[in-house]
Amino acid sequence: MESKHATEAFAALAQETRLSIFRLLVQRGPNGLHASEIAAQVGVPPSTLSHHLGILERAGLLRSWRVQRQIFYATDYEGTRKLVAFLMEDCCQGRPEICGGIQVPGCTGDCPD
């Protein structure tokens, strides 16, 4: 992941409502929720919600799909993995104990399991 894309993803999460939406959808798993359920659980009006969902989706943290007239949203786990890997890619530096048991993608040698 390039620094520019990581910065966009962090900027998307650096807002309370968007962070709440992201955490809710991480908890819900790959089936996600439809937009009206997200709005009800997070407590924001649908017009405000669509703005936040768009930002998270453009940042590569959410994915959406349509089922008839409803739009569903779920965490984009690949995009989230890439963001976490970006954060942790230099973690080991010859000292796997620093990672504290976190699986670090691309880590070589005696990195944690």
Side-chain angles (χ1 to χ4, degrees):
M1 172 177 277
E2 295 178 19
S3 292
K4 182 180 186 319
H5 187 75
T7 302
E8 291 169 0
F10 286 121
L13 293 171
Q15 197 277 340
E16 189 174 351
T17 301
R18 289 192 292 269
L19 183 58
S20 295
I21 293 166
F22 180 75
R23 293 189 71 202
L24 170 66
L25 291 173
V26 166
Q27 292 168 6
R28 292 303 298 219
N31 294 330
L33 292 169
H34 61 78
S36 62
E37 288 180 295
I38 298 168
Q41 290 196 34
V42 177
V44 297
S47 60
T48 302
L49 178 71
S50 64
H51 167 75
H52 291 302
L53 290 169
I55 290 171
L56 289 165
E57 192 167 16
R58 285 188 297 279
L61 298 171
L62 297 185
R63 60 186 180 83
S64 66
W65 65 98
R66 182 178 291 276
V67 176
Q68 296 176 350
R69 297 180 67 185
Q70 293 182 324
I71 300 176
F72 285 77
Y73 292 87
T75 302
D76 182 330
Y77 289 102
E78 182 60 26
T80 301
R81 270 190 219 92
K82 287 178 181 179
L83 183 60
V84 171
F86 175 82
L87 280 176
M88 302 301 291
E89 69 186 10
D90 297 323
C91 180
C92 291
Q93 293 184 357
R95 296 179 52 206
E97 70 278 5
I98 293 171
C99 298
I102 297 172
Q103 282 235 317
V104 181
C107 194
T108 58
D110 294 327
C111 294
D113 295 321

